[in-house]
Amino acid sequence: MVEAPQAEIRSVTAVMFTAMVSREARVPQEEALEGELRAEHARLVRELLPRQGGREVKATEDGFLLAFDGGLPAVRFGVALQDALRCYNQNASAERQMALRIGVHVGPVVSHEGDLFGEGVNLAARIEALARPGTLYVSEAVMRQVDGHALPPALRFRRNALKGLRLPVEVFRIEPLEAPPRPRLLARVRSFLAPKRARG
């Protein structure tokens, strides 16, 4: 008996891409080390993911596509992952140092046969590509969900007209846990996120 194909499920989901910053692998020894670092990346992701209720959708060439019920658990996971990686690097030799880029967006997705497709996935991938190594970049939609919660200071990074979009998407960088408080910048972010009618 052949099972009927799984129906498409449409929802609004927090989508995250993680990507390990590539290292040059010109000799077999470097290729082997690259594989070991990818395995360490996977270990960190899979160890921390259940704590925030996240779901591993699939492994990509250099990282993971992950899904969360909302922007807040996604950001908390992303912050925890970058923090865990910094701890790992403090105890690793120079050749075993790693850096990750992480991008998060909350938007419409289509779930089909265990995979995710749609605008939310495409934007998360583009935001991850913008991220600097060692950082977590999120969209305005994510920032609206996490505003007011206990997180590291956030900075508005820049306004980007992401490729293929008619309207620009505001992208924010979540600073490391060690970053000192920046009240004036936080006030600017909160002002930006306030409803337009309240901005004067």
Side-chain angles (χ1 to χ4, degrees):
M1 178 177 176
V2 178
E3 294 184 3
Q6 179 179 330
E8 292 184 351
I9 300 174
R10 299 177 183 273
S11 63
V12 174
T13 300
V15 180
M16 172 185 288
F17 277 94
T18 74
M20 194 175 81
V21 178
S22 297
R23 301 162 54 98
E24 293 187 7
R26 302 182 182 276
V27 296
Q29 292 88 339
E30 283 293 317
E31 292 178 0
L33 177 57
E34 185 82 2
E36 292 175 9
L37 294 179
R38 290 181 189 279
E40 183 64 22
H41 175 195
R43 184 190 69 79
L44 290 173
V45 167
R46 289 165 178 161
E47 179 180 293
L48 295 171
L49 192 60
R51 302 178 191 179
Q52 295 299 335
R55 175 170 67 90
E56 180 182 333
V57 179
K58 64 181 178 182
T60 63
E61 182 178 352
D62 55 3
F64 290 90
L65 168 57
L66 309 172
F68 298 82
D69 288 338
L72 183 59
V75 169
R76 283 178 171 162
F77 169 80
V79 169
L81 179 59
Q82 292 289 24
D83 190 46
L85 188 60
R86 283 191 291 275
C87 291
Y88 164 84
N89 284 335
Q90 288 174 1
N91 297 290
S93 58
E95 66 272 12
R96 301 188 69 88
Q97 299 282 309
M98 274 196 293
L100 297 181
R101 297 191 310 268
I102 301 177
V104 188
H105 177 62
V106 174
V109 300
V110 175
S111 177
H112 180 64
E113 296 183 348
D115 205 350
L116 293 180
F117 307 90
E119 177 187 333
V121 177
N122 295 337
L123 279 177
R126 290 168 180 171
I127 292 169
E128 177 267 302
L130 287 175
R132 298 174 184 174
T135 64
L136 168 63
Y137 279 28
V138 304
S139 67
E140 177 188 345
V142 175
M143 282 300 298
R144 289 188 182 279
Q145 292 192 3
V146 304
D147 184 42
H149 293 273
L151 290 171
L155 304 177
R156 187 169 67 179
F157 177 56
R158 59 182 176 180
R159 199 167 186 86
N160 278 279
L162 295 179
K163 185 177 179 182
L165 302 177
R166 289 184 299 174
L167 299 175
V169 172
E170 196 78 27
V171 177
F172 294 78
R173 181 175 70 248
I174 304 296
E175 292 290 276
L177 287 169
E178 296 86 356
R182 303 185 182 186
R184 297 174 77 181
L185 285 166
L186 280 172
R188 268 187 251 160
V189 170
R190 291 182 185 279
S191 175
F192 174 80
L193 291 174
K196 290 184 179 179
R197 63 177 180 275
R199 294 184 200 171

